[in-house]
Amino acid sequence: MSDMTANNALHNTSEDQDNSKTFAQKFYGAAWRWHFYAGLYVIPFLLVLAVTGLIMVYFNSIETRFGEKLYITPQAEMFLPTKQLEAVSKAFPTGDVKQFVPPPALDRTSLFTVKVDGAKMLVSVDPYTAEIVGAVDKDTTWFNFASDIHGSLLLGDVGDRLIEIAAGLTLVLIATGLYLWWPRDGKGLAQVLLPNLAVKGRSLLKELHVSI
């Protein structure tokens, strides 16, 4: 009787282990599929956001978000912004001044954003002479073009919703990626952090993907 009881206990334990293993395998497969499909949707958006983000950083930090940099010859004293505003108002009598950006350096112009007949003009003013030295439609600048793509993919509200979905699925991509990456089957943390460069082909790509 005791032998039968022991056998039943061993049998039940084996079944529990098999069920646990089967569930883990199914969950791993489900996580892999979610990771794969989320990646298919998210990656194109991430590439677009990365490229347009780099363009915005370049024109905001290295160049200027308002278009071409305009340099002037520094003089003894700058006119007050109100005097510069008078020059802008005179040049664009029907315009509505929305923004003033002071010169970022002594040899750079002041910038005014002026709304004229529905268009946003970026007006450069020499702060030492209060003379207008340039004007450009904001919608024609590279920064604005990249910003529109970055924010809505040039699709308005539809593009904005698509990007929001991509942002949500990015969290799924990260969560499932961490689960798939987590060391298992006797592997240590070092084995998943450092790729095995001895393998070749698809195995090497998998090693790099897991580690990087």
Side-chain angles (χ1 to χ4, degrees):
M1 183 71 178
S2 59
D3 292 340
M4 184 178 297
T5 303
N7 288 335
N8 289 335
L10 290 173
H11 181 69
N12 292 335
T13 303
S14 178
E15 284 186 348
D16 291 339
Q17 290 176 346
D18 290 341
N19 291 335
S20 176
K21 186 175 181 181
T22 301
F23 174 78
Q25 290 174 339
K26 288 181 178 180
F27 189 79
Y28 185 92
W32 189 94
R33 286 190 293 272
W34 271 102
H35 187 74
F36 177 75
Y37 291 123
L40 287 181
Y41 182 88
V42 166
I43 287 174
F45 289 92
L46 293 182
L47 290 175
V48 171
L49 293 176
V51 172
T52 54
L54 285 173
I55 293 174
M56 293 167 66
V57 168
Y58 177 82
F59 283 99
N60 193 35
S61 302
I62 300 175
E63 287 292 332
T64 167
R65 64 183 295 180
F66 300 107
E68 182 184 0
K69 284 184 178 180
L70 294 178
Y71 294 91
I72 41 86
T73 302
Q75 298 182 28
E77 189 175 352
M78 292 184 182
F79 279 99
L80 293 174
T82 52
K83 185 66 176 180
Q84 300 176 46
L85 176 60
E86 290 179 7
V88 174
S89 300
K90 185 177 180 180
F92 300 92
T94 61
D96 183 16
V97 178
K98 296 294 186 180
Q99 183 183 22
F100 166 71
V101 181
L106 294 177
D107 60 346
R108 295 280 297 281
T109 60
S110 302
L111 291 169
F112 288 84
T113 302
V114 186
K115 189 173 183 179
V116 183
D117 298 329
K120 288 185 178 179
M121 301 297 297
L122 303 170
V123 184
S124 299
V125 178
D126 186 335
Y128 299 101
T129 63
E131 294 179 353
I132 294 176
V133 295
V136 63
D137 187 343
K138 183 178 180 180
D139 291 336
T140 65
T141 62
W142 277 104
F143 181 92
N144 190 75
F145 179 65
S147 179
D148 287 343
I149 297 177
H150 195 84
S152 64
L153 304 175
L154 301 179
L155 296 175
D157 290 339
V158 174
D160 185 59
R161 299 296 180 269
L162 292 175
I163 291 176
E164 289 180 357
I165 293 172
L169 288 177
T170 299
L171 298 178
V172 175
L173 189 69
I174 294 173
T176 54
L178 285 174
Y179 175 78
L180 298 174
W181 169 87
W182 196 258
R184 54 175 56 84
D185 296 332
K187 288 186 177 181
L189 189 61
Q191 290 178 284
V192 295
L193 288 176
L194 299 175
N196 181 10
L197 301 179
V199 298
K200 296 181 180 180
R202 293 182 62 183
S203 297
L204 177 60
L205 294 178
K206 181 180 179 181
E207 287 286 333
L208 293 174
H209 181 75
V210 169
S211 300
I212 299 175

